[in-house]
């Protein structure tokens, strides 16, 4: 580690978490996805191919949970089937984790091999687990990093036809 690396600099824990998340997102992205002009992340991994499902994470909000738990962050997800209307839903981080679990079960139930789908799911299973271990920080930089990461995830998942048209993905997107 160089003396100027984020690990050795005097950053708060939230800043260190945001830096680690950004580094993780950059390593996994490999240039496949890009941010949309409005700041949304997702919807561009297919390189111009006609897509059945377009999905982007377009923002977040802190929502009061009531009771002892206080509040939590939800991520706004915009989805559109081909030329259909746009649907916007709010999902907690754990809903993205559950999406991966549900997609894996749906793909495993099919009689043919889906190597691309399995590889994509394996990658995102590991990424989400690592990110979830970082805790529940609501720091702006951490939430922005998660928006970017989750945007890349839904973009990559929706670029795989057998995942994009699966019941779990369509239910998650509410389309």
């Amino acid at each position: 580690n160089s003396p100027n690396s984020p690990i050795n600099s005097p950053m708060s824990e939230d800043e260190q978490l945001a830096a680690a998340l950004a580094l993780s997102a950059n390593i996994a992205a490999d240039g496949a996805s890009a941010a949309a002009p409005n700041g949304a992340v997702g919807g561009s991994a297919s390189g111009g191919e006609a897509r059945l499902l377009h999905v982007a994470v377009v923002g977040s909000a802190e929502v009061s949970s009531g009771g002892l738990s206080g509040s939590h962050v939800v991520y706004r997800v915009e989805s559109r089937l081909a030329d259909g209307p746009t649907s916007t839903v709010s999902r907690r981080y754990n809903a993205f984790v559950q999406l991966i679990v549900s997609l894996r079960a749906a793909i495993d139930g099919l009689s043919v091999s889906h190597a691309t789908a399995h590889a994509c799911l394996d990658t995102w299973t590991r990424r989400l687990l690592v990110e979830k271990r970082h805790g529940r920080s609501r720091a702006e930089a951490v939430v922005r990093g998660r928006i970017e990461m989750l945007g890349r995830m839904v973009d990559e998942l929706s670029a795989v036809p057998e995942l994009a048209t699966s019941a779990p993905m369509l239910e998650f997107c509410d389309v």
Side-chain angles (χ1 to χ4, degrees):
N1 292 340
S2 72
N4 295 329
S5 78
I7 295 170
N8 292 330
S9 65
M11 295 192 315
S12 72
E13 187 175 337
D14 285 340
E15 291 171 325
Q16 289 175 3
L17 178 56
L21 181 58
L23 179 60
S24 175
N26 288 339
I27 290 169
D30 72 15
S33 302
N38 67 353
V41 180
S44 62
S46 66
E49 297 174 15
R51 292 182 67 166
L52 299 171
L53 178 65
H54 301 269
V55 186
V57 177
V58 296
S60 66
E62 192 164 337
V63 178
S64 176
S65 302
L68 298 175
S69 60
S71 64
H72 60 271
V73 175
V74 293
Y75 300 90
R76 288 189 313 277
V77 179
E78 283 188 357
S79 310
R80 183 173 50 85
L81 276 173
D83 291 328
T86 298
S87 169
T88 302
V89 295
S90 294
R91 299 287 187 232
R92 291 180 74 163
Y93 184 83
N94 198 48
F96 291 86
V97 174
Q98 186 56 48
L99 173 63
I100 296 293
V101 171
S102 299
L103 287 171
R104 185 175 304 283
I107 293 301
D108 288 346
L110 300 176
S111 60
V112 294
S113 173
H114 295 283
T116 302
H118 278 288
C120 188
L121 292 171
D122 289 345
T123 296
W124 286 107
T125 297
R126 286 188 300 273
R127 297 265 333 272
L128 291 176
L129 179 61
V130 167
E131 172 56 21
K132 191 165 187 166
R133 287 182 183 165
H134 286 150
R136 300 174 183 258
S137 175
R138 293 190 187 112
E140 185 178 337
V142 172
V143 172
R144 266 187 311 202
R146 277 191 168 181
I147 290 169
E148 184 176 330
M149 181 193 71
L150 295 171
R152 284 188 177 126
M153 182 189 97
V154 295
D155 186 52
E156 289 178 20
L157 294 175
S158 64
V160 179
E162 58 266 31
L163 297 178
T165 58
S166 69
M169 179 65 91
L170 297 176
E171 288 169 18
F172 176 85
C173 296
D174 196 28
V175 290

